[in-house]
mmCIF file with all atom_site columns, all heavy atoms in Angstrom:
data_model
loop_
_atom_site.group_PDB
_atom_site.id
_atom_site.type_symbol
_atom_site.label_atom_id
_atom_site.label_alt_id
_atom_site.label_comp_id
_atom_site.label_asym_id
_atom_site.label_entity_id
_atom_site.label_seq_id
_atom_site.pdbx_PDB_ins_code
_atom_site.Cartn_x
_atom_site.Cartn_y
_atom_site.Cartn_z
_atom_site.occupancy
_atom_site.B_iso_or_equiv
_atom_site.pdbx_formal_charge
_atom_site.auth_seq_id
_atom_site.auth_comp_id
_atom_site.auth_asym_id
_atom_site.auth_atom_id
_atom_site.pdbx_PDB_model_num
ATOM 1  N N   . ALA A 1 102 ? 70.045 93.675  116.925 1.00 0.00 ? 108 ALA A N   1
ATOM 2  C CA  . ALA A 1 102 ? 69.488 92.326  116.922 1.00 0.00 ? 108 ALA A CA  1
ATOM 3  C C   . ALA A 1 102 ? 70.118 91.408  117.959 1.00 0.00 ? 108 ALA A C   1
ATOM 4  O O   . ALA A 1 102 ? 69.489 90.459  118.406 1.00 0.00 ? 108 ALA A O   1
ATOM 5  C CB  . ALA A 1 102 ? 69.637 91.703  115.538 1.00 0.00 ? 108 ALA A CB  1
ATOM 6  N N   . TYR A 1 128 ? 79.884 102.508 107.124 1.00 0.00 ? 134 TYR A N   1
ATOM 7  C CA  . TYR A 1 128 ? 80.206 102.067 108.474 1.00 0.00 ? 134 TYR A CA  1
ATOM 8  C C   . TYR A 1 128 ? 81.708 102.021 108.659 1.00 0.00 ? 134 TYR A C   1
ATOM 9  O O   . TYR A 1 128 ? 82.460 101.689 107.757 1.00 0.00 ? 134 TYR A O   1
ATOM 10 C CB  . TYR A 1 128 ? 79.618 100.685 108.733 1.00 0.00 ? 134 TYR A CB  1
ATOM 11 C CG  . TYR A 1 128 ? 78.130 100.702 108.942 1.00 0.00 ? 134 TYR A CG  1
ATOM 12 C CD1 . TYR A 1 128 ? 77.260 100.457 107.893 1.00 0.00 ? 134 TYR A CD1 1
ATOM 13 C CD2 . TYR A 1 128 ? 77.599 100.963 110.199 1.00 0.00 ? 134 TYR A CD2 1
ATOM 14 C CE1 . TYR A 1 128 ? 75.892 100.479 108.080 1.00 0.00 ? 134 TYR A CE1 1
ATOM 15 C CE2 . TYR A 1 128 ? 76.232 100.988 110.399 1.00 0.00 ? 134 TYR A CE2 1
ATOM 16 C CZ  . TYR A 1 128 ? 75.379 100.741 109.339 1.00 0.00 ? 134 TYR A CZ  1
ATOM 17 O OH  . TYR A 1 128 ? 74.031 100.756 109.535 1.00 0.00 ? 134 TYR A OH  1
ATOM 18 N N   . PHE A 1 130 ? 83.248 100.056 110.991 1.00 0.00 ? 136 PHE A N   1
ATOM 19 C CA  . PHE A 1 130 ? 83.647 98.688  111.357 1.00 0.00 ? 136 PHE A CA  1
ATOM 20 C C   . PHE A 1 130 ? 84.933 98.608  112.171 1.00 0.00 ? 136 PHE A C   1
ATOM 21 O O   . PHE A 1 130 ? 85.850 97.882  111.786 1.00 0.00 ? 136 PHE A O   1
ATOM 22 C CB  . PHE A 1 130 ? 83.833 97.821  110.109 1.00 0.00 ? 136 PHE A CB  1
ATOM 23 C CG  . PHE A 1 130 ? 82.601 97.630  109.300 1.00 0.00 ? 136 PHE A CG  1
ATOM 24 C CD1 . PHE A 1 130 ? 82.536 98.116  108.005 1.00 0.00 ? 136 PHE A CD1 1
ATOM 25 C CD2 . PHE A 1 130 ? 81.506 96.952  109.816 1.00 0.00 ? 136 PHE A CD2 1
ATOM 26 C CE1 . PHE A 1 130 ? 81.395 97.936  107.242 1.00 0.00 ? 136 PHE A CE1 1
ATOM 27 C CE2 . PHE A 1 130 ? 80.363 96.763  109.054 1.00 0.00 ? 136 PHE A CE2 1
ATOM 28 C CZ  . PHE A 1 130 ? 80.310 97.261  107.764 1.00 0.00 ? 136 PHE A CZ  1
ATOM 29 N N   . ASP A 1 145 ? 81.243 96.452  126.521 1.00 0.00 ? 151 ASP A N   1
ATOM 30 C CA  . ASP A 1 145 ? 81.423 96.155  125.102 1.00 0.00 ? 151 ASP A CA  1
ATOM 31 C C   . ASP A 1 145 ? 81.659 97.469  124.365 1.00 0.00 ? 151 ASP A C   1
ATOM 32 O O   . ASP A 1 145 ? 80.725 98.247  124.161 1.00 0.00 ? 151 ASP A O   1
ATOM 33 C CB  . ASP A 1 145 ? 80.167 95.442  124.577 1.00 0.00 ? 151 ASP A CB  1
ATOM 34 C CG  . ASP A 1 145 ? 80.329 95.008  123.139 1.00 0.00 ? 151 ASP A CG  1
ATOM 35 O OD1 . ASP A 1 145 ? 81.306 95.438  122.494 1.00 0.00 ? 151 ASP A OD1 1
ATOM 36 O OD2 . ASP A 1 145 ? 79.483 94.230  122.659 1.00 0.00 ? 151 ASP A OD2 1
ATOM 37 N N   . MET B 2 1   ? 68.090 93.555  115.665 1.00 0.00 ? 14  MET B N   1
ATOM 38 C CA  . MET B 2 1   ? 67.427 94.834  115.411 1.00 0.00 ? 14  MET B CA  1
ATOM 39 C C   . MET B 2 1   ? 65.949 94.600  115.196 1.00 0.00 ? 14  MET B C   1
ATOM 40 O O   . MET B 2 1   ? 65.562 93.739  114.442 1.00 0.00 ? 14  MET B O   1
ATOM 41 C CB  . MET B 2 1   ? 68.042 95.394  114.149 1.00 0.00 ? 14  MET B CB  1
ATOM 42 C CG  . MET B 2 1   ? 67.446 96.702  113.787 1.00 0.00 ? 14  MET B CG  1
ATOM 43 S SD  . MET B 2 1   ? 68.649 97.813  113.128 1.00 0.00 ? 14  MET B SD  1
ATOM 44 C CE  . MET B 2 1   ? 70.160 97.034  113.413 1.00 0.00 ? 14  MET B CE  1
ATOM 45 N N   . THR B 2 7   ? 70.206 99.118  109.967 1.00 0.00 ? 20  THR B N   1
ATOM 46 C CA  . THR B 2 7   ? 70.818 97.811  109.932 1.00 0.00 ? 20  THR B CA  1
ATOM 47 C C   . THR B 2 7   ? 72.322 97.985  109.935 1.00 0.00 ? 20  THR B C   1
ATOM 48 O O   . THR B 2 7   ? 72.864 98.652  109.084 1.00 0.00 ? 20  THR B O   1
ATOM 49 C CB  . THR B 2 7   ? 70.413 97.079  108.657 1.00 0.00 ? 20  THR B CB  1
ATOM 50 O OG1 . THR B 2 7   ? 69.005 97.001  108.656 1.00 0.00 ? 20  THR B OG1 1
ATOM 51 C CG2 . THR B 2 7   ? 71.002 95.682  108.613 1.00 0.00 ? 20  THR B CG2 1
ATOM 52 N N   . ARG B 2 87  ? 83.502 87.493  122.673 1.00 0.00 ? 100 ARG B N   1
ATOM 53 C CA  . ARG B 2 87  ? 82.169 87.882  123.137 1.00 0.00 ? 100 ARG B CA  1
ATOM 54 C C   . ARG B 2 87  ? 81.763 86.984  124.311 1.00 0.00 ? 100 ARG B C   1
ATOM 55 O O   . ARG B 2 87  ? 82.160 85.831  124.378 1.00 0.00 ? 100 ARG B O   1
ATOM 56 C CB  . ARG B 2 87  ? 81.143 87.752  122.012 1.00 0.00 ? 100 ARG B CB  1
ATOM 57 C CG  . ARG B 2 87  ? 81.447 88.641  120.813 1.00 0.00 ? 100 ARG B CG  1
ATOM 58 C CD  . ARG B 2 87  ? 80.189 89.238  120.230 1.00 0.00 ? 100 ARG B CD  1
ATOM 59 N NE  . ARG B 2 87  ? 79.489 90.049  121.199 1.00 0.00 ? 100 ARG B NE  1
ATOM 60 C CZ  . ARG B 2 87  ? 79.689 91.356  121.381 1.00 0.00 ? 100 ARG B CZ  1
ATOM 61 N NH1 . ARG B 2 87  ? 80.525 92.006  120.645 1.00 0.00 ? 100 ARG B NH1 1
ATOM 62 N NH2 . ARG B 2 87  ? 79.009 92.009  122.295 1.00 0.00 ? 100 ARG B NH2 1
#
Side-chain angles (χ1 to χ4, degrees):
Chain A
Y134 285 95
F136 297 116
D151 184 349
Chain B
M14 180 143 350
T20 302
R100 299 219 60 90

